[in-house]
Amino acid sequence: MKISLTTKFAVRTLGRSKRRTLLSVIGVGIGCAVALFLSAFMRGANEMRVQGIADSGFGHLRIAPGGWEKSRENALRLQDGRAELETVRAMEGVKVAAPHARSTALLAFGTRVAGVELLGVDPPAEQAISRVARAMSEGRYLNPGHKGMTVIGSTIAERLEVELDDDLFLTVVREGGEMEYAMLRIVGIVNTGSRDLDATICHVTLEDVQQFTGLNGAGEITITLDTARKVEQTASYLRTVIPEGDDVLTWKEVRPAQGADSKSDQAFMNLFVGIVVVVVMLGITSAQLTAILERRREFAVLMALGMKGIQVIRLVLVEAAALGILGATAGLLLAMPLVYYTATTGINFSAIIGEGTSMSGVLFDPVMYSDMGLWMIPRALFVALISTLIAALYPAWYAVKIDPTSALSLREA
Amino acid sequence: MKNTLVDATNVKKDFRTGKVVVNALRGLDLTIHEGDFLSIVGPSGSGKTTLLNLIGALDVATSGTVKVFGEDLSTLSRRKRADLRLKSLGFVFQAYNLVPVLTARENVEFVLELQGVGSERCETAQSVLEDLSLGELADRRPNELSGGQQQRVAVARAVASRPRLVLADEPTANLDSKNAEALLEMMRHLRDEHSMTFVFSTHDPLVVSYASRVVTLHDGTVVSDEMKNSVADDGKTEGIG
């Protein structure tokens, strides 16, 4: 492929003032590196947020009864939970599918009482899907088919002043409104590291919840996928195979607060990257304009020779694009060590937020990792090229306005 | 009867600097014919460069008409004037004004690229340079050429697309007499071989001695217009160097 002379002209022009070009490349590179690092960190944080939600027992997706998203009513049940569970577990890309049934309840021991949300689970599936169910500090997790057993959070145990093998008095309101009473033996105590989260955990078997509430079947199927990147795609497919009357919700719909957080974090990052890009752009505009001012006679001559405005603009923009490509390379080189470090070692926020923290029942890891990948190359090129090209628009316009008559004399253009 | 390339009638050009209006041309009349080797002379401020700017479609007259190849330049848009310059006019500048980051061949080729000439433009540029005995300088950048060589490359750039009219602003001002003579010989050769018309703005007696016609300006008007036998026509100089 033959390179046009305009391109050669533009690229070689960058070598005319090496110091200015170097400073411009460093400027674009730093801006690009900041944007890349922020993007990598936010992508990593977002992936960890999604993973935290999924691992806290909320999954990537949830099959819920129609209307649950609005009402959040625990008494709603799936159309055919057993068949839906089999369908989901047979699907490619599904890591775990766990059925749940929930009910509000009151736990009592002696004169002490605690309100909880009773979570009916399929024990093996729950241990596979939820890190909460794996965070046993005492005893064991539930076994399939063992009725009248419970696993509670350490904060509840502390408040009720109970220990393993103690029997708790459970009160549940049945479907018809009458009270149901039962005894639950504590077989395990969970300590997630988050006192808030440990104050909400009360797991029993699915069968127990069915018996206490008088409602048969699962109230939801929580699903984790092999990769969070296929959430939308899998949700779309699932909607075509589940019975009418049930819904497929993504984690953003199940946990709208976290979905909104994700959006606002993204918006904040875009704003910050935007500010960085604008600062870089102003610097590049200034440098490019100075270069054009120094080359006024050259542009006057080119226009006297018949170069049209659009060709002048093209020349200046190709120069800017070459600067952008160099800046993107510099940005990648500058950002890579930092992104690599934060992607492998992570940034530990435990000094600020503690070893384990939870928000709205979601357990988050205090060590945050960046997302390093090939996506950084097009992102670097995009940021650098967009900023240098936009920055070059005013200098290009200025170049077009240079008076070509000055080419024929030694007076200033 | 030779074709008329430029017909300037009652041309006035004013420049305003703050509240001061400078009348650079004051009702100038001039006709340039095909094959002319014309020197425009006159003292500084007489309007030579202004006239060249108008003929070269770089500027428009305040009043009067300037017709180049029959086209009234005042009626042409900026883009059409750029087209006219690109396709039918050649420019040679006092300070050479080659693009410093391009080689001699690329400087010539660049104008052809602007004209939209395809892949053959490289060969065309090389052939133009060889025609002007500059073939061995093709791969050198301007800073590797002497002043005389740079100006000859500038002429090659100006004539690469075989324009009908070449305008040269003080082309020998930065050259010694030997290089100046070689340059003028080259231009004469181009006129004779390719029927090009050359118009010089100059103070240099050597250029005047080569001219077949000398137009003298004073205070923005033509004070004399003489046909003469040039040095080259008298056979007093040697070939292109």
Side-chain angles (χ1 to χ4, degrees):
Chain A
M1 191 182 73
K2 192 170 165 66
I3 299 169
S4 77
L5 278 172
T6 304
T7 306
K8 281 186 191 174
F9 185 176
V11 172
R12 289 181 197 167
T13 293
L14 294 181
R16 285 159 80 173
S17 178
K18 291 189 176 67
R19 194 178 309 177
R20 177 164 50 221
T21 300
L22 183 66
L23 289 172
S24 296
V25 167
I26 290 172
V28 176
I30 289 173
C32 192
V34 170
L36 280 178
F37 174 70
L38 282 174
S39 298
F41 192 71
M42 290 306 293
R43 280 172 68 109
N46 201 44
E47 276 187 16
M48 289 184 70
R49 182 204 310 275
V50 177
Q51 202 54 47
I53 291 166
D55 285 349
S56 298
F58 297 105
H60 293 119
L61 292 171
R62 178 181 289 187
I63 301 176
W68 178 86
E69 189 186 358
K70 277 190 176 174
S71 70
R72 305 273 155 166
E73 176 55 62
N74 283 336
L76 295 171
R77 289 293 179 265
L78 295 172
Q79 302 291 319
D80 188 355
R82 194 178 296 274
E84 290 171 62
L85 187 62
E86 279 174 22
T87 304
V88 174
R89 283 179 171 164
M91 274 174 61
E92 206 175 318
V94 170
K95 196 171 168 188
V96 187
H100 290 149
R102 296 169 195 266
S103 174
T104 49
L106 211 58
L107 292 177
F109 187 77
T111 57
R112 291 171 292 280
V113 178
V116 293
E117 185 181 72
L118 205 61
L119 180 68
V121 301
D122 169 17
E126 196 61 22
Q127 281 209 292
I129 207 168
S130 170
R131 63 189 278 201
V132 170
R134 295 191 295 271
M136 304 302 303
S137 64
E138 291 177 62
R140 60 170 176 79
Y141 196 64
L142 301 167
N143 285 327
H146 287 191
K147 292 188 171 184
M149 311 287 179
T150 185
V151 168
I152 58 171
S154 58
T155 311
I156 296 175
E158 207 177 293
R159 284 179 188 165
L160 295 176
E161 295 180 15
V162 293
E163 53 191 32
L164 285 181
D165 296 328
D166 281 344
D167 290 323
L168 297 171
F169 186 71
L170 173 81
T171 306
V172 174
V173 179
R174 288 178 68 84
E175 189 194 4
E178 66 273 27
M179 308 295 274
E180 174 74 19
Y181 307 101
M183 297 302 287
L184 290 175
R185 173 152 298 174
I186 302 168
V187 294
I189 295 174
V190 165
N191 188 341
T192 61
S194 163
R195 286 186 58 78
D196 292 344
L197 186 57
D198 290 344
T200 65
I201 297 164
C202 182
H203 290 190
V204 296
T205 61
L206 202 57
E207 294 80 7
D208 272 345
V209 172
Q210 287 177 14
Q211 187 190 323
F212 301 151
T213 60
L215 295 165
N216 286 326
E220 69 195 45
I221 296 171
T222 296
I223 303 162
T224 54
L225 305 175
D226 292 332
T227 168
R229 294 194 172 110
K230 289 196 172 170
V231 165
E232 297 298 339
Q233 184 189 333
T234 310
S236 298
Y237 174 73
L238 266 177
R239 286 185 189 109
T240 65
V241 296
I242 60 165
E244 204 174 325
D246 286 344
D247 273 350
V248 177
L249 307 174
T250 65
W251 65 269
K252 288 179 188 170
E253 292 156 330
V254 174
R255 313 296 303 169
Q258 272 95 13
D261 283 352
S262 174
K263 273 188 182 171
S264 63
D265 285 355
Q266 187 67 39
F268 176 74
M269 187 200 72
N270 289 342
L271 178 70
F272 197 85
V273 169
I275 291 169
V276 170
V277 167
V278 167
V279 171
V280 169
M281 272 167 46
L282 290 174
I284 298 302
T285 299
S286 169
Q288 286 277 87
L289 193 58
T290 308
I292 300 293
L293 286 168
E294 285 173 6
R295 292 162 60 203
R296 283 167 85 158
R297 174 172 296 281
E298 184 175 305
F299 280 103
V301 168
L302 292 173
M303 284 188 280
L305 292 175
M307 199 174 195
K308 295 183 185 70
I310 192 76
Q311 291 168 315
V312 172
I313 289 172
R314 186 171 160 241
L315 178 65
V316 177
L317 292 186
V318 172
E319 281 178 34
L323 195 64
I325 290 168
L326 290 174
T329 310
L332 279 168
L333 291 174
L334 288 170
M336 205 60 87
L338 196 57
V339 174
Y340 178 78
Y341 176 79
T342 51
T344 52
T345 308
I347 302 175
N348 194 340
F349 290 98
S350 60
I352 304 167
I353 61 173
E355 282 304 320
T357 188
S358 71
M359 273 192 285
S360 307
V362 177
L363 197 58
F364 292 104
D365 199 320
V367 183
M368 307 282 270
Y369 294 91
S370 295
D371 175 31
M372 190 169 91
L374 289 176
W375 63 268
M376 291 169 70
I377 297 170
R379 178 68 61 91
L381 284 169
F382 178 78
V383 169
L385 283 174
I386 287 291
S387 53
T388 51
L389 288 175
I390 292 175
L393 286 178
Y394 176 67
W397 176 83
Y398 187 89
V400 170
K401 294 288 169 197
I402 288 173
D403 180 5
T405 59
S406 53
L408 282 182
S409 70
L410 283 176
R411 73 169 184 264
E412 277 304 301
Chain B
M1 183 73 181
K2 287 181 178 177
N3 287 332
T4 299
L5 298 188
V6 178
D7 186 8
T9 310
N10 195 24
V11 176
K12 293 179 183 170
K13 180 68 187 176
D14 301 335
F15 294 104
R16 184 178 290 276
T17 313
K19 287 182 180 175
V20 180
V21 177
V22 177
N23 309 118
L25 297 178
R26 306 175 187 201
L28 176 143
D29 295 303
L30 179 68
T31 306
I32 299 171
H33 303 287
E34 191 171 23
D36 274 354
F37 207 70
L38 185 154
S39 277
I40 301 171
V41 297
S44 294
S46 60
K48 300 189 295 296
T49 300
T50 303
L51 178 59
L52 233 51
N53 279 335
L54 295 180
I55 295 170
L58 296 170
D59 206 351
V60 286
T62 307
S63 67
T65 56
V66 179
K67 287 185 179 175
V68 177
F69 314 126
E71 295 244 43
D72 183 350
L73 297 184
S74 65
T75 64
L76 298 182
S77 65
R78 197 178 153 105
R79 186 181 173 84
K80 284 197 169 167
R81 281 190 280 131
D83 252 341
L84 179 75
R85 292 197 297 273
L86 185 62
K87 290 172 183 163
S88 307
L89 298 174
F91 288 91
V92 179
F93 308 100
Q94 178 179 340
Y96 327 134
N97 290 332
L98 297 174
V99 176
V101 293
L102 299 180
T103 64
R105 183 176 45 243
E106 287 168 342
N107 263 283
V108 177
E109 202 184 330
F110 188 61
V111 177
L112 298 171
E113 182 174 292
L114 292 179
Q115 289 183 339
V117 177
S119 56
E120 73 275 19
R121 62 176 186 261
C122 182
E123 289 74 37
T124 307
Q126 183 66 32
S127 139
V128 170
L129 287 170
E130 278 166 10
D131 278 355
L132 301 179
S133 307
L134 295 166
E136 74 278 12
L137 306 177
D139 292 321
R140 293 197 201 167
R141 288 203 188 179
N143 62 357
E144 297 166 330
L145 300 172
S146 68
Q149 288 170 330
Q150 285 189 60
Q151 194 60 305
R152 283 154 66 199
V153 172
V155 171
R157 177 176 69 178
V159 302
S161 59
R162 300 286 182 246
R164 294 167 70 188
L165 177 61
V166 178
L167 304 172
D169 182 47
E170 305 275 10
T172 57
N174 292 338
L175 303 181
D176 59 35
S177 58
K178 191 179 167 199
N179 274 309
E181 208 163 319
L183 186 79
L184 289 164
E185 280 297 339
M186 179 199 269
M187 290 174 165
R188 284 299 298 251
H189 170 75
L190 285 166
R191 185 198 70 162
D192 296 342
E193 290 293 310
H194 302 290
S195 304
M196 290 178 187
T197 302
F198 282 81
V199 176
F200 306 95
S201 146
T202 188
H203 288 101
D204 186 352
L206 185 68
V207 177
V208 175
S209 71
Y210 267 79
S212 59
R213 184 179 164 199
V214 179
V215 171
T216 307
L217 298 188
H218 194 270
D219 287 343
T221 55
V222 176
V223 292
S224 76
D225 186 348
E226 297 171 53
M227 301 298 289
K228 60 185 275 290
N229 285 330
S230 74
V231 170
D233 290 340
D234 292 345
K236 289 180 184 173
T237 56
E238 292 175 2
I240 301 165

